[in-house]
Amino acid sequence: MIKLDQFLKLVGVASTGGQAKLMILDGDVKVNDIVETRRGKKLVSEDKVTVGGQTFNVGDVI
């Protein structure tokens, strides 16, 4: 498992944890097509994260 904010940094969408936090709190991030505002949301390999028009399969990254 990986936390949502850490995942955004890992895939290069956010360069810092602070930037990831702001993206999440602003409602710019979806997990499985639902807006997610919890930066500590734990992701599993079946999850899909969408941000900025890009979709990432968690299982392909971790």
Side-chain angles (χ1 to χ4, degrees):
M1 282 195 270
I2 187 170
K3 290 182 183 179
L4 180 56
D5 59 347
Q6 294 172 336
F7 181 80
L8 295 178
K9 289 191 310 183
L10 181 66
V11 297
V13 173
S15 56
T16 66
Q19 183 182 15
K21 176 183 173 183
L22 290 176
M23 293 171 76
I24 295 165
L25 290 176
D26 288 344
D28 296 334
V29 180
K30 291 182 180 180
V31 176
N32 301 324
D33 296 319
I34 299 171
V35 173
E36 181 58 68
T37 56
R38 297 172 294 166
R39 69 180 191 179
K41 164 79 173 159
K42 292 181 181 170
L43 304 174
V44 294
S45 59
E46 295 82 21
D47 289 332
K48 293 181 192 173
V49 176
T50 304
V51 60
Q54 293 181 293
T55 300
F56 302 93
N57 292 315
V58 174
D60 293 343
V61 178
I62 60 169

